[in-house]
Amino acid sequence: PRLEFGEEKIKAERMFGLMDVFLKNDPLSLQKDILDHVEFTVAKSRFNFDDFEAYHALAHSVRDRLIERWHDTQIHFNRKGPKRLYFLSLEFLMGRSLSNTVINLGVRDQFADALSQLGFEFEVLAEQEGDACLGNGGLARLSACQMDSLATLDYPAIGYGLRYQYGLFRQVILDGFQHEQPDYWLNFGNPWEIERVHITYPVKFYGTVTDEVLNKEKHKVWVPGEVVEAVAYDNPIPGYGTRNTIVLRLWAAKPSDQHNMESYNTGDYVDAVVNRQRAESISSILYPDDRSYQGKELQLKQRYFFVSASVQDIIRRFKDTHKNFNEFPEKVALQLNDTHPSLAIAEVMRVLLDEEHLGWNRAWDIICKIFSYTTHTVSSEAMEKIPVDLMGSLLPRHLQIIYDINFNFMEKLKKMIGLDYDRLARMSIVEEGAVKNIRMANLSIICCHTVNGVSRLHLELLKTKVFRDFYELWPHKFHYKTNGVTQRRWIVVSNPSLCALISKWLGTEAWIRDIDLLIGLRDHATNAELHQEWKMELCNDLMLVCTIGNVQVSLNAMFDVHTKRIHEYKRQLLNILGIIHRYDSIKNMNKNDRKKVVPRVCIISGKAAPGYEIAKKIIKLCHVVAEKINNDNDIGDLLKLVFIPDYNVSVAELVIPGADLSQHLSTAGHEASGTSSMKFLMNGCLLLATEDGSTIEMIEEVGRENMFLFGASVNDVPALREKGPALKVPLQFLRVVRMIRDGHFGLKDYFKSLCDKIETGNDYFLVGADFASYLEAQAAADKAFVDEDRWTQMSILCAAGSGKFSSDRTIQEYAEKTWGIQPCRCPS
Ligand code: 4GP
């Protein structure tokens, strides 16, 4: 039962009545707010401030409006008491906030007007903002898109994460080699967060577990060896077309006050304080590998720190309005974004057992009802494992609980499948071996009511390969929710001219909230007037891209973009080999044939994990090939290759709207979903892709004839691999690899190991096997590009068919089928 708020309720009602007299959005009020912030927040004279200071003042004025709505939303949620979703993710790639926020709040034009009267340009100030890169890649950007959709669709949700002081490393290219530089992104302040000094929780580590008798019952008591404080930093996330504003709460570590009474009279006072200060390092750095869990103590500490603070916050909020835990599963849904936060399972269990004294069966029953899990990988090897020794020393009580969960599970399993020891060993949470490990994926599957994949194909792979044993046991647990991206960021913010064009032809802006309306563009796909405008729109974007890099490019060229993390399975190497082949072919053409060549500007961008040698060699190869081609006067405008350093959300916002063609080359069966392809598709960019991940669903939405597909299908891959050295690869492939081996681009010794990796018999990712069909798809793209009408029509149809790939659809599916939450719309 909920507590009545009495006085508070009356106060809240009064507040709603007063709402419209709060912050106003007319030019004069906005100007006053901005100047107030210049004077009092930035502490510069209102008669003398530069663009950067103006950006900060602007951001604070926008933030005030966010806070107002967020408070109203919170009051509304508290009054209604709906079931809430708690989205736990160790990574959020938010990028910049300003433009997205003013668009979602519906005040962009008002702010732009107010600024221009003050002599500033909105776009120029927006460029002052740095990216918040608190994540590695796909998983992290997906979390950001999903927060936007949760707010827009009025769901009562809170995101939890870590406030890293160092975001993902900055990639600097020196002489063609990747170097990593720390991203100390908070150096210039972060106007989008609100520090909540009063929202703090102690987080415990190490120590011992003892037994204690309480009311004649035995209980476990964890006596920690170290306590650190978690402080909340709130980042409001506004919905579009709604007053609802939710929050992303990020935790930062601070030394704990709990030991304040300790006095350091040993003479090494300064050392003791410096030691305590180390607590802050727990949340200071984002681990830069997008998949490998390194089993480092600090990394595990970081994960538990985040989980413990979030769980305390969730339980505190629930207990504010509930006397017991009967209603907990009706009010709380916990989503694990991959296994990174899966310690939350053991933590909730620990709190319910040791602090709330619920007893095992009741606590277990609650666990099984509240957790759901989404996995983002297809590889069993990439599943997270934590060494038992490490867990035992850092989190002794959690290890006991995990052992107990496993014991119960194993007993049940034996009854169900008999003494099939191999299978029992595979399904156990504890992996035996030289080093004993806790398998976090097994823990998650056993304890969650739902396991989601991120595309239809991904679910198939989970069922038949990665989680086959579990699928056979509990088929009902396994589902998929195809990923999506938010059209607010990826069309409205990053491609305003396309946004205006779509609204004009659909006769409404409603598609910004209701993406299915995009399909209406199909009715105009052959309309000559739309073709004209669509082409103009594409040209505008190309101009933008041309400013990137110092390479002279032809405006008639096809802009061909390949941007994502550098990975062998994503096959940037296939692209580069294709470019070498194109170069080599042009060199061998006569004048007449050259006239028929479609000029290309190839753009590659992406970061390699710092310890991933092969990926780093791919980046260097890209640079030496670019150097050769771009300086070859004989080739001129016909082919250019540009590597854009430091790929991040802002770079993506620049290149995606400008691309004609984008490449998605993963070996079939390796990309769980892929989300950049969705952004390109929405922007009317054509895809050259393998039939992998969510691309398979794109084929259904936009039609095979509107894409350039190639390569082995997921069913062909095993047989091709089995052929080993007997696998046939085309002569062109052998030739381009030979060119690298022979030092045509220099550094032949350095690239030897890279070439060895794709040698027949060794070529796990099938670069050679797919080469011929890759070249065919490229040729088909060239052919389509010269037929402008056909290309434009394909482009329109891509955008028209992209509706399914909005994160609004994904979130709605999660809400209805996995989390069981309802929209809770704040009155406006
Ligand atoms: C990525 C997957 O590789 C990608 O296919 C998917 O689209 C994305 O997650 C979102 O689901 N995985 C990661 C990761 O980023 O860290 O495992």
Side-chain angles (χ1 to χ4, degrees):
R2 293 192 52 244
L3 299 177
E4 273 304 324
F5 287 106
E7 275 288 54
E8 281 222 3
K9 196 171 152 197
I10 297 164
K11 258 194 277 167
E13 258 152 29
R14 217 177 290 144
M15 261 197 62
F16 274 111
L18 289 174
M19 215 142 62
D20 52 359
V21 303
F22 265 64
L23 298 173
K24 301 229 167 159
N25 295 325
D26 58 280
L28 222 57
S29 309
L30 292 179
Q31 283 170 9
K32 178 171 182 327
D33 284 359
I34 294 169
L35 292 178
D36 275 354
H37 278 297
V38 168
E39 190 90 25
F40 305 118
T41 308
V42 183
K44 283 287 290 192
S45 159
R46 64 196 178 286
F47 302 112
N48 178 20
F49 57 101
D50 62 18
D51 283 351
F52 183 69
E53 288 145 1
Y55 155 71
H56 271 270
L58 168 64
H60 276 280
S61 320
V62 175
R63 185 180 98 152
D64 291 344
R65 282 153 180 81
L66 272 176
I67 293 178
E68 182 191 340
R69 294 190 189 207
W70 171 39
H71 283 159
D72 297 347
T73 310
Q74 272 189 316
I75 289 173
H76 184 67
F77 286 174
N78 287 341
R79 293 168 83 203
K80 293 277 172 188
K83 180 176 189 180
R84 293 184 202 234
L85 165 73
Y86 296 106
F87 187 90
L88 266 52
S89 178
L90 228 60
E91 299 189 7
F92 289 89
L93 254 182
M94 304 303 283
R96 289 172 172 162
S97 287
L98 176 64
S99 297
N100 203 151
T101 304
V102 290
I103 282 176
N104 280 17
L105 295 179
V107 293
R108 190 201 167 284
D109 293 347
Q110 292 90 320
F111 267 107
D113 286 351
L115 281 169
S116 85
Q117 290 171 23
L118 290 175
F120 290 91
E121 214 179 304
F122 181 88
E123 296 302 338
V124 173
L125 300 196
E127 284 296 313
Q128 300 291 319
E129 185 175 358
D131 270 40
C133 297
L134 306 186
N136 272 284
L139 167 156
R141 181 55 224 176
L142 183 77
S143 310
C145 284
Q146 293 188 336
M147 288 301 293
D148 181 84
S149 291
L150 281 165
T152 299
L153 300 182
D154 300 318
Y155 285 115
I158 297 185
Y160 284 108
L162 272 180
R163 178 181 181 268
Y164 303 106
Q165 284 173 306
Y166 294 88
L168 184 61
F169 66 88
R170 298 223 170 102
Q171 179 191 54
V172 177
I173 304 288
L174 295 175
D175 191 26
F177 291 101
Q178 168 177 302
H179 291 251
E180 299 91 30
Q181 282 184 352
D183 169 41
Y184 193 73
W185 70 294
L186 296 166
N187 246 354
F188 297 103
N190 174 14
W192 303 106
E193 66 183 10
I194 303 143
E195 185 182 8
R196 316 289 273 173
V197 281
H198 59 287
I199 303 183
T200 67
Y201 297 99
V203 178
K204 304 186 265 184
F205 299 103
Y206 307 107
T208 49
V209 180
T210 56
D211 287 314
E212 194 178 73
V213 178
L214 205 96
N215 295 335
K216 295 196 187 130
E217 275 181 43
K218 250 184 155 180
H219 292 288
K220 299 282 182 194
V221 176
W222 175 21
V223 185
E226 183 186 342
V227 181
V228 171
E229 209 70 19
V231 182
Y233 284 76
D234 285 343
N235 300 254
I237 312 282
Y240 176 91
T242 170
R243 195 169 177 81
N244 279 38
T245 296
I246 58 175
V247 73
L248 170 60
R249 176 162 282 181
L250 303 178
W251 301 106
K254 297 272 148 82
S256 167
D257 267 354
Q258 285 202 355
H259 301 302
N260 250 0
M261 299 315 290
E262 260 171 51
S263 55
Y264 304 123
N265 65 356
T266 51
D268 50 7
Y269 164 75
V270 171
D271 277 353
V273 173
V274 168
N275 261 338
R276 268 168 52 95
Q277 199 59 30
R278 290 220 179 99
E280 293 196 4
S281 68
I282 292 179
S283 60
S284 69
I285 179 153
L286 166 77
Y287 279 82
D289 295 294
D290 67 346
R291 204 60 235 184
S292 69
Y293 178 81
Q294 295 157 0
K296 297 248 166 69
E297 179 164 297
L298 185 62
Q299 197 171 6
L300 182 61
K301 235 175 154 172
Q302 188 172 73
R303 290 179 180 194
Y304 177 66
F305 169 79
F306 147 68
V307 153
S308 166
S310 309
V311 166
Q312 291 182 67
D313 201 40
I314 293 165
I315 291 186
R316 190 264 312 147
R317 187 172 298 105
F318 177 79
K319 284 173 74 172
D320 277 351
T321 49
H322 293 78
K323 289 202 276 289
N324 58 44
F325 281 82
N326 295 348
E327 267 195 278
F328 199 64
E330 279 82 63
K331 294 294 175 192
V332 171
L334 272 154
Q335 165 71 15
L336 304 176
N337 197 27
D338 218 287
T339 53
H340 315 150
S342 57
L343 278 171
I345 296 168
E347 175 64 0
V348 175
M349 196 71 188
R350 185 190 69 77
V351 173
L352 296 182
L353 288 175
D354 301 354
E355 292 176 13
E356 303 296 338
H357 303 146
L358 249 50
W360 184 275
N361 290 343
R362 243 189 107 202
W364 177 246
D365 182 57
I366 290 175
I367 293 289
C368 297
K369 286 181 177 152
I370 58 175
F371 280 103
S372 55
Y373 154 54
T374 297
T375 172
H376 296 266
T377 183
V378 289
S379 136
S380 317
E381 296 79 58
M383 296 292 168
E384 190 187 339
K385 293 170 186 173
I386 298 177
V388 164
D389 289 348
L390 181 59
M391 174 99 82
S393 105
L394 191 70
L395 303 169
R397 179 62 183 132
H398 297 78
L399 184 62
Q400 287 180 349
I401 289 173
I402 290 172
Y403 269 132
D404 288 347
I405 293 175
N406 197 42
F407 176 80
N408 291 346
F409 171 62
M410 285 285 124
E411 289 305 301
K412 221 166 90 184
L413 191 59
K414 277 183 214 156
K415 286 193 191 123
M416 294 164 82
I417 66 166
L419 298 180
D420 177 348
Y421 287 112
D422 284 347
R423 187 162 175 210
L424 287 168
R426 288 197 303 269
M427 296 177 79
S428 168
I429 299 174
V430 184
E431 181 185 59
E432 303 290 340
V435 180
K436 259 192 179 185
N437 285 309
I438 301 297
R439 296 176 174 132
M440 301 312 270
N442 291 22
L443 173 70
S444 305
I445 300 173
I446 291 164
C447 303
C448 290
H449 56 78
T450 306
V451 179
N452 274 302
V454 289
S455 71
R456 192 172 67 219
L457 174 66
H458 187 208
L459 174 63
E460 258 337 284
L461 297 167
L462 295 178
K463 279 160 46 170
T464 53
K465 296 200 169 82
V466 193
F467 296 146
R468 187 171 153 183
D469 290 313
F470 284 104
Y471 175 70
E472 284 170 4
L473 188 68
W474 295 313
H476 59 275
K477 277 200 189 191
F478 289 80
H479 300 268
Y480 74 94
K481 310 278 176 285
T482 301
N483 284 342
V485 300
T486 164
Q487 66 269 29
R488 267 83 57 188
R489 166 83 52 165
W490 296 107
I491 304 180
V492 185
V493 172
S494 65
N495 201 348
S497 52
L498 180 68
C499 171
L501 190 59
I502 294 176
S503 299
K504 177 185 157 188
W505 282 83
L506 293 180
T508 171
E509 287 187 347
W511 61 274
I512 301 173
R513 261 183 82 90
D514 183 2
I515 191 86
D516 288 340
L517 296 173
L518 272 190
I519 201 78
L521 286 175
R522 268 196 198 153
D523 300 341
H524 312 289
T526 54
N527 184 309
E529 200 184 322
L530 173 61
H531 273 222
Q532 207 46 40
E533 294 178 13
W534 197 269
K535 268 187 266 180
M536 283 289 296
E537 198 287 312
L538 292 179
C539 279
N540 284 341
D541 293 330
L542 297 185
M543 309 275 280
L544 213 62
V545 177
C546 291
T547 61
I548 300 171
N550 280 331
V551 182
Q552 282 284 316
V553 296
S554 152
L555 266 189
N556 301 323
M558 181 200 296
F559 283 73
D560 158 354
V561 177
H562 193 182
T563 51
K564 44 189 91 230
R565 280 298 280 255
I566 312 288
H567 241 288
E568 283 162 276
Y569 86 80
K570 293 184 190 278
R571 297 200 294 191
Q572 281 90 357
L573 193 51
L574 179 56
N575 187 0
I576 299 171
L577 297 180
I579 292 168
I580 298 176
H581 171 77
R582 183 176 286 266
Y583 172 64
D584 188 41
S585 311
I586 299 174
K587 292 291 281 182
N588 291 319
M589 275 179 197
N590 61 32
K591 263 199 181 144
N592 261 344
D593 285 343
R594 283 193 185 199
K595 283 193 191 134
K596 292 183 215 140
V597 171
V598 180
R600 277 262 187 153
V601 178
C602 304
I603 295 168
I604 299 181
S605 190
K607 295 179 181 176
Y612 192 173
E613 275 310 313
I614 290 289
K616 290 182 144 181
K617 287 194 180 193
I618 293 173
I619 292 177
K620 176 65 181 169
L621 180 64
C622 182
H623 282 88
V624 293
V625 172
E627 174 88 15
K628 180 106 187 168
I629 296 176
N630 298 346
N631 294 314
D632 189 338
N633 291 333
D634 181 35
I635 293 292
D637 276 355
L638 291 184
L639 182 61
K640 294 289 176 203
L641 170 56
V642 182
F643 185 93
I644 303 178
D646 206 32
Y647 187 59
N648 60 16
V649 177
S650 293
V651 173
E653 285 178 46
L654 205 60
V655 291
I656 291 173
D660 294 307
L661 183 76
S662 72
Q663 304 205 32
H664 308 276
L665 312 182
S666 56
T667 314
H670 284 268
E671 192 70 271
S673 160
T675 43
S676 75
S677 49
M678 301 171 179
K679 299 162 196 166
F680 284 105
L681 196 75
M682 276 183 185
N683 279 275
C685 171
L686 272 51
L687 266 49
L688 193 150
T690 49
E691 299 196 23
D692 197 15
S694 56
T695 304
I696 295 185
E697 292 160 68
M698 289 180 182
I699 300 172
E700 293 163 3
E701 299 299 307
V702 303
R704 192 170 274 281
E705 66 286 2
N706 293 313
M707 302 171 82
F708 306 104
L709 300 165
F710 78 99
S713 75
V714 69
N715 297 326
D716 301 336
V717 166
L720 288 171
R721 277 195 185 133
E722 226 149 72
K723 285 193 180 160
L727 187 73
K728 281 239 165 352
V729 295
L731 284 176
Q732 299 109 310
F733 177 74
L734 298 174
R735 181 174 163 84
V736 293
V737 177
R738 175 62 38 212
M739 285 170 78
I740 301 172
R741 281 200 186 277
D742 286 350
H744 201 85
F745 305 96
L747 296 180
K748 63 181 191 183
D749 294 337
Y750 177 75
F751 291 124
K752 181 176 178 305
S753 58
L754 195 56
C755 295
D756 289 347
K757 278 256 176 183
I758 48 173
E759 198 62 29
T760 319
N762 230 354
D763 184 9
Y764 185 75
F765 293 106
L766 301 174
V767 180
D770 276 351
F771 198 65
S773 94
Y774 176 66
L775 295 184
E776 278 168 29
Q778 284 285 11
D782 282 328
K783 194 167 162 227
F785 193 72
V786 287
D787 181 349
E788 273 195 42
D789 280 344
R790 176 165 165 227
W791 188 273
T792 309
Q793 185 177 333
M794 288 168 85
S795 167
I796 295 169
L797 290 174
C798 281
S802 68
K804 175 172 176 186
F805 306 101
S806 164
S807 44
D808 293 350
R809 191 262 317 135
T810 316
I811 284 299
Q812 196 154 343
E813 285 181 13
Y814 271 108
E816 286 167 8
K817 297 184 188 149
T818 299
W819 302 325
I821 54 169
Q822 307 287 332
C824 185
R825 192 176 170 91
C826 182
S828 49

